[in-house]
Amino acid sequence: MKLIIKRIKSDLYNVFVKGDSDKVEQARVFVLLTVPFLSILFAFGRFPVY
């Protein structure tokens, strides 16, 4: 569990702070941020219609 948390922290640091990340780190951060957001979005209402 410590390894997973350490990996997530280093991925977030590399993507947002350093800006030096590879595609795998970017994909992990994307999934980490979009899955909870879309779950909350669809749980409380429908997708915004423009």
Side-chain angles (χ1 to χ4, degrees):
M1 190 67 181
K2 282 186 176 182
L3 180 62
I4 294 171
I5 293 172
K6 187 175 181 180
R7 183 179 295 158
I8 290 171
K9 285 173 55 177
S10 69
D11 289 346
L12 289 170
Y13 179 77
N14 286 339
V15 170
F16 290 117
V17 177
K18 283 177 53 177
D20 182 32
S21 61
D22 59 357
K23 299 286 184 188
V24 175
E25 290 173 339
Q26 292 174 0
R28 282 190 202 126
V29 170
F30 176 76
V31 169
L32 182 73
L33 295 178
T34 55
V35 169
F37 176 74
L38 290 177
S39 300
I40 291 170
L41 181 70
F42 289 125
F44 293 116
R46 62 188 187 117
F47 196 75
V49 178
Y50 296 109

